[in-house]
Amino acid sequence: MRAELTLDTVEDTQAWGARLGRCLRAGDLLLLTGDLGAGKTTLTQGIAEGLGVRGPITSPTFVIARVHPSLVGGPALVHVDAYRLGGFAELDDLDLDADLADSVTVVEWGHGLAEGLAEDYLEVTLTGADRRRVTVEGHGPRWTGPAAGELGTLLAG
């Protein structure tokens, strides 16, 4: 599944992220791609709201990864910033696969690096600054099977 949408404001990006977060479940992997300032962390803030996890959600650029436990009995959010990582070996050293099945994992700057963490992943590419163009592409049975219908509904409105 591949779809595109436009989000006109930062608030729209967070609101759409919250709607997306409510569709996610333990084991889901999202790769966020886009230039600096394209809204990867803003989208993750919305996802965190939708999941009902403890915040605040800030870019984990210097700590590489943060775990945000659920406040509502759902999965934790593992928020990773792969910008400073030198390759898959450094990503693998974080042992993300140990948390993958029990958490929702969001990897900023994950394209070309984190696809090997799971067969199923959702890649979200953001372009623009305030007004964002969002491309969503699902990979694997989770995002091309029945769940793709739920995602399609989310993308449609």
Side-chain angles (χ1 to χ4, degrees), residues 83-94:
Y83 183 76
R84 295 185 315 129
L85 298 180
F88 183 78
E90 288 184 24
L91 182 67
D92 191 48
D93 285 346
L94 297 175

Side-chain angles (χ1 to χ4, degrees), residues 1 3-5 16 19 148-157:
M1 149 171 253
E4 294 186 4
L5 69 148
W16 187 79
R19 289 175 54 214
E150 182 180 16
L151 184 60
T153 302
L154 175 67
L155 291 167

Side-chain angles (χ1 to χ4, degrees), residues 31-32 36 44 57 63 76 80 82 88 133:
L31 309 183
L32 305 186
L36 286 171
T44 304
I57 306 301
V63 295
V80 180
F88 183 78
R133 185 95 178 133

